[in-house]
Amino acid sequence: MAPVETAADSRRTLPAASDLLDSVGGWGPAATPAGVFHLIPVQVERDLPLVCRWMNDPVVAAYWELAGPASRTARHLRRQLAGDGRSMPCLGVLEGRPMSYWEIYRADLDPLARRYPARPHDTGVHLLIGGGADRGRGLGSRLLAAVADLILDRRPACARVVAEPDLRNIASIATFLSAGFRFLAEVDLPTKRAALMVRDRAPRDPS
């Protein structure tokens, strides 16, 4: 689920919103075995019907809990877009086709940071694959690996990408493991018990 801002969080002195995630919209393409992939920040007026349809897919709704009228999805998106830039909702566009939804967020500025030993600039990922035809064939792990690489490449201050899939979502956990993440711990969050997954920046070759 999306990061939830607390009163304590809002009192922090933070850099400009455009700096919190180093301008996700300008990260550019990623080459993947499935084709060229882009993260495109959501525009509610343009993208709401598509994202709402995905949220009402029973497979997605079981974990995202955003099924229902378009107004519910719109509130979820607008809260992020109207915030300080610590979370950015994006479409995942593969070879020109929108086929997934992503949230890139500052895990170190999220309440999640109270549940594990967070480090400055830890960056979190939420994702869903939109259509059933794109699921169950390894596409999610390839795209997740590409997005983790993008984060670590475009955010030099970030040393780790983190995620917290629901412990019940075995398929999602397997996707993160296949994308190079490792299981760190079980964590209790307000809406779920989660598996904390971490993808570390590879150490630089000293040569």
Side-chain angles (χ1 to χ4, degrees):
M1 301 299 294
V4 177
E5 185 173 346
T6 68
D9 292 329
S10 66
R11 288 194 296 268
R12 295 181 187 179
T13 301
L14 298 171
S18 61
D19 293 332
L20 286 178
L21 285 165
D22 299 299
S23 302
V24 175
W27 285 0
T32 81
V36 177
F37 181 78
H38 288 81
L39 286 173
I40 307 295
V42 163
Q43 294 180 21
V44 175
E45 293 74 15
R46 178 193 66 194
D47 303 322
L48 180 59
L50 179 60
V51 177
C52 183
R53 186 170 78 242
W54 290 342
M55 292 298 181
N56 279 279
D57 182 310
V59 174
V60 172
Y63 298 105
W64 281 76
E65 300 178 353
L66 284 170
S71 58
R72 187 176 187 186
T73 301
R75 283 194 300 272
H76 178 78
L77 298 173
R78 288 188 173 118
R79 272 198 301 267
Q80 296 173 80
L81 294 169
D84 61 13
R86 71 182 63 195
S87 181
M88 179 60 64
C90 297
L91 291 184
V93 179
L94 181 64
E95 290 290 300
R97 178 175 63 93
M99 46 69 65
S100 53
Y101 172 77
W102 301 71
E103 291 172 357
I104 311 299
Y105 69 98
R106 283 287 297 270
D108 62 322
L109 302 179
D110 187 82
L112 174 64
R114 297 194 293 267
R115 311 288 178 151
Y116 80 104
R119 299 176 187 170
H121 293 279
D122 276 358
T123 304
V125 175
H126 301 132
L127 77 149
L128 67 86
I129 302 298
D134 289 320
R135 301 178 196 144
R137 54 191 184 92
L139 184 57
S141 61
R142 292 194 290 271
L143 297 183
L144 181 56
V147 168
D149 286 343
L150 267 179
I151 292 170
L152 294 170
D153 183 56
R154 304 300 195 266
R155 301 205 68 238
C158 171
R160 302 190 301 183
V161 182
V162 304
E164 17 81 11
D166 194 304
L167 267 178
R168 300 170 298 162
N169 195 343
I170 302 303
S172 178
I173 293 170
T175 295
F176 280 98
L177 291 171
S178 296
F181 286 70
R182 60 186 173 89
F183 173 80
L184 186 64
E186 294 184 13
V187 292
D188 286 312
L189 302 178
T191 60
K192 65 185 178 184
R193 187 161 179 79
L196 183 66
M197 312 295 295
V198 176
R199 163 89 180 267
D200 299 286
R201 181 184 294 278
R204 294 185 180 277
D205 186 339
S207 63

